[in-house]
Amino acid sequence: MRLKDKVVIVTGGSRGIGLALVRRLLAEGAKVAFTGTRQESLDKAIAALGDSAANAKGYILDVAQSAACEAMVKQVITDLGAVHVLVNNAGITKDTLMMRMKEEDWDSVIDTNLKGAFNCLKAVTRPMMGQRWGRIINISSVVGLMGNAGQVNYAASKAGMLGMTKAAAKELASRNITVNAIAPGFIASDMTEVIAEEAKKAYLSAIPLNRFGTGDEIASAVVFLASDDSAYITGQTLNVDGGMVMQ
Ligand code: NAP
C-alpha cells in the first residue's frame, strides 16, 4: 500500500476517470474525499465502491465557486484530519466550432476546468505548506498539447492547467509540495461515450496502441505522482495516451 493513511481529495470523483481514481487510491490505503455536483451522483459512487467506501466521503461541490472550494477543504480537514494530496480532476466539455461558440460555452468550460483547478489548488496550499508535504496532480488532456477542432474552450482550459502546474510547482517546491499534470488521451468514460462512431474510428487511427485507455490506467499514473516514488519530480506533464502525443 503506497498511500497508507494519506488523505486525498479527488474533484469530480463521482464517475468516469475520477471514480476509477477514487477506487485505486482506496486500494492503496488512502482516505479519500471526493466531490460531485449532486447528492445523487455521490450516492451512486458510494454504492459502486462497495465495502471500500468505508474510507471514502463524498462532498457536493461546484469547483467554479471559490468560497465553496475553501469550505470543502476545511471540512475535509475537520472530517479526515489533513489533506496530503489534491487531484484536480473535475472537468466538462461544451464542444462546438469557434464560429458558433457562445460566450457562456467559453466561460463555463474555463470556469470549471481552469478556475476550478486554481480554486482547489489555492485552498489546499496553506495546509500543505504548514505540514511541509503535499502532492498536487492536475488532470489536463492531450487536447491542451495538440489542440482539437471544436474545442477551443476546452483546449485553452487544459493548456492553461499546464502553465499553472509549472508556476505553482516553482512557488511551492521549497515547502516540499510537488505539482504535476497528467495529460490523458482518449479514455473510455461518459465524456467519450458521446463521440460519434466515425470520429472514434478516426481517433483510433491516431493512437499507436490502437485503443482507448481506461480510468485505471490514469489511476496508475496518479498513484505514482501521489507517492514518495515521485519525490524528485515536479512541474512535469505525464502523457497517458497510448502514444498519441510524443514530445
Ligand atoms: P466525466 O465522466 O464527464 O465526469 C466528470 C466529473 O466531473 C463528474 O464527477 C462530475 O460530477 C464532475 N464535475 C462536472 N462539473 C463539475 C463542477 N462544476 N464542479 C465539480 N465537479 C464537477 O469526465 P471524465 O471523462 O471522467 O473526465 C475526468 C477528467 O479527465 C476531466 O478533467 C477531463 O477533462 C479529463 N480528460 C478526460 C478524457 C477522456 O477521454 N475521458 C481525456 C482527457 C482528459 P457529477 O457526477 O456530479 O456530474
Side-chain angles (χ1 to χ4, degrees):
M1 287 203 184
R2 284 189 283 174
L3 299 173
K4 183 119 187 63
D5 295 331
K6 287 280 191 292
V7 176
V8 183
I9 296 175
V10 179
T11 66
S14 54
R15 57 195 166 88
I17 294 173
L19 183 56
L21 304 185
V22 172
R23 197 174 270 122
R24 270 290 285 286
L25 291 161
L26 290 168
E28 292 288 348
K31 294 184 211 165
V32 182
F34 68 95
T35 79
T37 60
R38 296 162 291 130
Q39 190 59 46
E40 188 199 349
S41 58
L42 297 180
D43 293 344
K44 266 195 192 166
I46 291 286
L49 290 169
D51 290 346
S52 67
N55 284 321
K57 196 163 168 47
Y59 298 80
I60 294 179
L61 177 70
D62 175 358
V63 289
Q65 306 300 320
S66 155
C69 293
E70 287 282 345
M72 181 273 295
V73 169
K74 278 200 182 116
Q75 195 57 50
V76 169
I77 293 170
T78 302
D79 295 343
L80 303 179
V83 54
H84 300 106
V85 181
L86 166 69
V87 186
N88 271 319
N89 168 77
I92 58 169
T93 51
K94 290 273 169 73
D95 298 351
T96 190
L97 292 175
M98 204 171 23
M99 297 285 283
R100 291 194 207 118
M101 191 171 284
K102 298 192 184 81
E103 187 178 353
E104 58 261 35
D105 297 333
W106 172 270
D107 287 346
S108 62
V109 169
I110 298 292
D111 283 356
T112 301
N113 299 6
L114 182 55
K115 185 181 164 201
F118 166 71
N119 286 340
C120 293
L121 165 64
K122 189 174 174 209
V124 299
T125 297
R126 199 178 293 275
M128 284 185 181
M129 285 172 95
Q131 72 202 5
R132 295 282 194 276
W133 199 95
R135 296 277 187 272
I136 294 160
I137 302 161
N138 295 320
I139 307 297
S140 174
S141 168
V142 288
V143 169
L145 295 165
M146 65 181 199
N148 198 22
Q151 293 196 306
V152 289
N153 49 0
Y154 185 76
S157 73
K158 294 300 183 178
M161 284 179 95
L162 301 181
M164 187 176 74
T165 296
K166 292 174 193 175
K170 288 187 176 176
E171 280 193 29
L172 300 176
S174 66
R175 307 300 169 100
N176 199 27
I177 300 167
T178 67
V179 189
N180 291 290
I182 292 173
F186 285 93
I187 306 299
S189 78
D190 293 349
M191 197 177 265
T192 46
E193 194 55 39
V194 295
I195 300 173
E197 275 312 310
E198 275 309 300
K200 270 189 191 167
K201 272 190 201 150
Y203 288 138
L204 276 178
S205 68
I207 303 171
L209 286 175
N210 199 37
R211 63 173 178 84
F212 282 10
T214 65
D216 206 41
E217 287 170 323
I218 304 303
S220 297
V222 166
V223 169
F224 169 64
L225 290 175
S227 73
D228 283 326
D229 292 344
S230 64
Y232 200 53
I233 299 174
T234 196
Q236 304 302 315
T237 300
L238 178 55
N239 292 9
V240 183
D241 63 359
M244 203 174 166
V245 175
M246 298 190 187
Q247 286 162 309

